[in-house]
Amino acid sequence: FLSSPSGEYLEVNRSGHRMLGYEYGELVGMHISQVILPHDQERLSATLASIARGGTNREIWPMVRKDRSVVQLEVSAQMLSNGSVLAVVRDLRGRAEFERQIQASEAKLRSILYTAPDTVLTVDRQGKVLFINRTYPPYTVDSVVGASCYDFVPPESRPRVRAAIEHVFTTRELDQYEVESPPAA
């Protein structure tokens, strides 16, 4: 939407009207304060003042739809050179469910990784260990993460490991190999 610096809607696209449950054109001429919660009026004043000073703003706002239901919207706003405020609004209604699904998926992946019978690790292009699911004495996860993977590979196997890491980073294709760790010092 576009608004005046004081918060009067000058233009609102069809999506904006749908988000707030209004017929196309109904929001034009209304003030933003008419679609936010009463306790957010001071925050709106402060936000508009910040934008008027040339700031950009990105916040989550609970907004009141025409049917009086409340919807969570992310609003990114800034002042344009012509003095009007441009805002891009994202509907967050599906976001909570999406985040819940991601968290459930991550929990499942963690469970698989931490119960796998093999050691699984990730490294950066230089061979620095970023993650490892398990270690064996005398090593600990904390002592391995951040170390070079080459410290745990026999010298004769290091060229093969370097080649495999470079292959993965260059081609984005998986590479499999086996090496035995040297005996713990």
Side-chain angles (χ1 to χ4, degrees):
F1 67 82
L2 288 174
S3 78
S4 68
S6 65
E8 181 180 280
Y9 286 117
L10 303 173
E11 292 180 40
V12 181
N13 68 7
R14 291 185 187 281
S15 293
H17 280 86
R18 273 193 306 274
M19 269 187 240
L20 294 176
Y22 286 86
E23 293 296 321
Y24 183 67
E26 280 187 290
L27 288 168
V28 175
M30 288 177 59
H31 195 273
I32 296 169
S33 62
Q34 294 175 263
V35 295
I36 65 169
L37 296 171
H39 68 268
D40 280 332
Q41 298 298 325
E42 275 187 44
R43 181 165 72 122
L44 175 64
S45 295
T47 297
L48 289 172
S50 172
I51 292 169
R53 290 189 302 272
T56 58
N57 184 272
R58 183 173 162 193
E59 292 183 55
I60 295 175
W61 288 86
M63 293 197 156
V64 181
R65 293 172 43 87
K66 187 174 182 177
D67 66 6
R68 307 311 296 161
S69 64
V70 176
V71 61
Q72 298 292 320
L73 301 174
E74 180 183 71
V75 181
S76 300
Q78 68 182 42
M79 180 74 71
L80 297 177
S81 61
N82 68 4
S84 61
V85 175
L86 170 67
V88 177
V89 181
R90 283 191 328 155
D91 188 341
L92 300 179
R93 282 180 279 192
R95 186 174 177 172
E97 175 60 19
F98 180 68
E99 287 174 355
R100 189 200 63 71
Q101 289 174 355
I102 287 174
Q103 289 171 350
S105 177
E106 288 174 347
K108 187 184 293 185
L109 179 59
R110 270 191 304 279
S111 174
I112 291 167
L113 282 171
Y114 288 113
T115 59
D118 298 320
T119 300
V120 177
L121 64 115
T122 58
V123 298
D124 67 13
R125 197 170 199 148
Q126 290 70 44
K128 178 179 166 186
V129 178
L130 304 174
F131 167 85
I132 188 164
N133 66 331
R134 72 178 65 248
T135 59
Y136 298 96
Y139 304 111
T140 64
V141 169
D142 288 339
S143 70
V144 174
V145 171
S148 172
C149 71
Y150 304 115
D151 294 343
F152 307 99
V153 177
E156 64 274 8
S157 297
R158 290 177 187 165
R160 172 65 181 110
V161 174
R162 275 191 186 86
I165 290 172
E166 187 57 32
H167 175 78
V168 169
F169 277 95
T170 301
T171 66
R172 300 284 191 216
E173 296 173 1
L174 294 177
D175 193 353
Q176 294 183 10
Y177 59 91
E178 288 185 31
V179 295
E180 288 190 31
S181 293

